[in-house]
Amino acid sequence: MIKRPLNKKLVILFIVNLFFFGADAQSTKPVKFSVIAFYTAKNDEAHISYVHEANRWFPEMAKQYHFAYDSTSNWKNLNAQFLAKYQVVLFLDTRPEDPEQREAFKTYMDNGGGWMGFHFAAFALTPSGIPQNWDWYHNTFLGSGQYKSNTWRPTAAILSVEDNKHPATKHLPKRFKSSPNEWYRWENDLTKNPDIDILLAIDSTSFPLGTGPKPHEIWHSGYYPVAWSNRNYNMVYVNMGHNDMDYEHQYNKFTTSLSSSFASREQDKFIIDALLWLGTANKNGK
C-alpha cells in the first residue's frame, strides 16, 4: 500500500468547516411564524424614516426570536393566496385603498390572521387625501374612528401600562419612557368600547406633552390610549411610528432624522412581545 502524505491545508479546511457549519446547524432553530410588512413610504419624511428603520430593525429581531420577516410596497400582494404564507401582517405606515385588497384583509382577519399596525396606518380624516371610507376597519376593527388631532413637535412621553396581564405588556414596568413620537387623538372614546383592551396610554406625568408652536398641539390633560387590542381579532395597534425630523434643515439641506422609534428598551420590548403573541396565538387570537 502506498501511503500518501496528508494535505495539511485540506485537513485544516475540513476542521474549520466542521466547526462553523456544525455549530451553525446545532444553533439553528425552526422558524416559529412568518411576518409580512406592507408599506408605502411615499408621504411625510417622518413616516418614510420610520419605515426604513423598521425594515432594518425587524429582520434583526427575526434572527433573535426565530421568525421570518418579509416586506413589500406592492399592495397588490394583499390577496388570499399571498397572505396564506404568513401568520402576521404589519401595516407600517398606511392602509389599503383598493376594495379587493380591503376585502382580502378583512377575510384574513376574520379567519384568525394576526395584524399589527403602526401610527399612520390608523389615520383617516374626512375630508382629506385619506378619508374615512372604510367603516369596518376604523370603527369595528380599530374602534378609534377618525383622527381628531395630534401633538407637535414629536416628543417622548411617559406611558402607563393599562393591562399588565396581557402577553404584550406583562414584562413591562408600570410606567416607562417612550421614543419620540407624534401622538394622535381619536374620534371615538375607546374606554367605552367593550371589545377594546387598552394596553398603553399617556401617563399624566407627561403633561404638558408637545412643544407647539400652536397651542392646540400641546396637550395639558386628558386620557389618550396609544396601544390597544380588539378582543374579537388577533391584532394590536401601536400609535408609535413617527420620528422627529429636521424639517427646518438646521443641520444640512436634507430632512434628516433626529430620533429613532426603536430607542426605548421598554417600547421595543412591548413591540416584540406583541408580535410574538400575535405570531403564536391560536386562531381565535387568545
Side-chain angles (χ1 to χ4, degrees):
M1 178 183 294
I2 299 175
K3 294 184 178 180
R4 293 184 174 86
L6 291 174
N7 187 318
K8 292 182 179 180
K9 290 184 179 180
L10 290 176
V11 172
I12 293 172
L13 182 61
F14 173 79
I15 294 173
V16 169
N17 285 338
L18 180 65
F19 177 80
F20 283 104
F21 289 104
D24 184 66
Q26 292 176 358
S27 63
T28 300
K29 294 183 179 180
V31 170
K32 296 177 181 177
F33 57 92
S34 296
V35 177
I36 180 63
F38 287 87
Y39 65 92
T40 301
K42 290 183 178 180
N43 297 312
D44 195 314
E45 291 93 336
H47 301 163
I48 296 171
S49 170
Y50 168 73
V51 167
H52 292 327
E53 191 175 32
N55 278 329
R56 293 190 298 269
W57 187 79
F58 278 110
E60 294 176 0
M61 295 301 102
K63 293 178 182 178
Q64 184 175 345
Y65 292 97
H66 310 292
F67 61 89
Y69 180 82
D70 297 324
S71 62
T72 179
S73 60
N74 182 3
W75 287 84
K76 291 181 180 179
N77 286 327
L78 197 62
N79 60 70
Q81 183 178 0
F82 185 83
L83 294 179
K85 300 181 291 184
Y86 299 96
Q87 286 71 55
V88 183
V89 170
L90 305 187
F91 288 177
L92 293 181
D93 66 339
T94 189
R95 64 180 194 185
E97 300 299 326
D98 181 84
E100 292 184 0
Q101 295 167 11
R102 290 180 172 186
E103 188 59 33
F105 176 69
K106 182 179 184 301
T107 299
Y108 175 82
M109 295 308 304
D110 286 341
N111 290 332
W115 177 84
M116 183 182 290
F118 294 88
H119 193 63
F120 201 64
F123 180 91
L125 178 62
T126 302
S128 77
I130 305 177
Q132 202 301 73
N133 57 9
W134 192 9
D135 190 64
W136 171 82
Y137 181 75
H138 292 285
N139 284 317
T140 301
F141 181 65
L142 286 168
S144 53
Q146 296 191 86
Y147 156 93
K148 290 293 289 184
S149 68
N150 61 273
T151 60
W152 196 257
R153 183 173 191 117
T155 54
I158 302 302
L159 302 184
S160 171
V161 174
E162 302 296 278
D163 179 359
N164 60 9
K165 296 181 180 180
H166 193 281
T169 58
K170 65 181 182 181
H171 297 124
L172 297 177
K174 176 59 180 175
R175 295 175 182 84
F176 65 91
K177 187 176 182 179
S178 74
S179 295
N181 188 52
E182 172 197 42
W183 305 99
Y184 284 162
R185 180 169 70 95
W186 304 99
E187 176 184 43
N188 296 340
D189 183 352
L190 292 171
T191 65
K192 296 181 179 179
N193 188 332
D195 296 329
I196 298 299
D197 182 9
I198 298 172
L199 305 178
L200 303 175
I202 301 292
D203 189 74
S204 60
T205 57
S206 295
F207 300 130
L209 184 62
T211 60
K214 298 176 182 178
H216 71 268
E217 296 171 332
I218 306 173
W219 293 350
H220 296 274
S221 63
Y223 184 75
Y224 305 97
V226 299
W228 63 85
S229 182
N230 186 323
R231 296 185 178 96
N232 295 323
Y233 299 95
N234 190 22
M235 63 82 78
V236 173
Y237 172 71
V238 182
N239 191 200
M240 293 74 101
H242 183 115
N243 289 333
D244 189 16
M245 308 295 293
D246 181 17
Y247 291 105
E248 298 79 15
H249 299 167
Q250 297 182 48
Y251 302 101
N252 55 52
K253 64 180 180 179
F254 305 106
T255 308
T256 54
S257 302
L258 300 177
S259 69
S260 166
S261 292
F262 300 97
S264 164
R265 181 178 63 180
E266 293 84 2
Q267 181 174 301
D268 293 352
K269 182 62 175 172
F270 167 73
I271 292 172
I272 195 63
D273 280 354
L275 183 60
L276 294 174
W277 171 67
L278 293 170
T280 57
N282 60 30
K283 285 298 182 179
N284 63 12
K286 304 299 182 181

